[in-house]
Amino acid sequence: MPTEVRNNIALERFEITVDGEVAGYTEYQDTVGERAFVHTEIDPRFDGRGYARTLVESALNETRIDGLGALPMCRTVQHFIETTPQYLTMVPHWARDRLGLAQ
């Protein structure tokens, strides 16, 4: 099934659509230099298919392109960063310590 991730700026969230239907989202709040990811949710009908991973990876890639760091306040985003170390550099050092992430 075709998927697409887009930034819904009006709702401050990245959404993943499957066949045109919103299957999940990750909400964020932008600061001057970082994007805080505060909540991620996948509709139970789409659970277990890797959509959360696709969503978070796309959201972090766009965040990097936007020149922002990432604050993984949401457990889903934090887990993704913990298991995909190339994204750890996006998290400021001060936040890594507070969130228990590797330095």
Side-chain angles (χ1 to χ4, degrees):
M1 290 190 261
T3 63
E4 178 185 9
V5 176
R6 65 171 190 240
N7 186 356
N8 184 334
I9 296 169
L11 294 178
E12 294 185 304
R13 69 186 199 177
F14 287 90
E15 299 171 337
I16 186 166
T17 58
V18 178
D19 282 339
E21 183 179 355
V22 175
Y25 58 87
T26 185
E27 297 175 332
Y28 64 84
Q29 296 171 350
D30 284 349
T31 65
V32 174
E34 289 94 26
R35 178 167 287 151
F37 290 92
V38 295
H39 179 71
T40 302
E41 191 169 316
I42 298 294
D43 185 304
R45 295 176 297 133
F46 297 95
D47 227 3
R49 300 183 198 170
Y51 294 131
R53 183 168 188 79
T54 300
L55 170 63
V56 170
E57 184 172 28
S58 295
L60 288 172
N61 287 339
E62 188 165 328
T63 297
R64 181 178 280 150
I65 290 168
D66 291 343
L68 298 170
L71 299 175
M73 311 307 290
C74 159
R75 182 68 194 131
T76 303
V77 177
Q78 185 173 348
H79 177 73
F80 178 86
I81 289 173
E82 288 171 338
T83 58
T84 317
Q86 64 263 31
Y87 290 92
L88 183 61
T89 59
M90 293 182 68
V91 181
H93 286 284
W94 63 266
R96 292 181 203 175
D97 187 45
R98 289 184 184 163
L99 296 169
L101 294 169
Q103 294 293 325

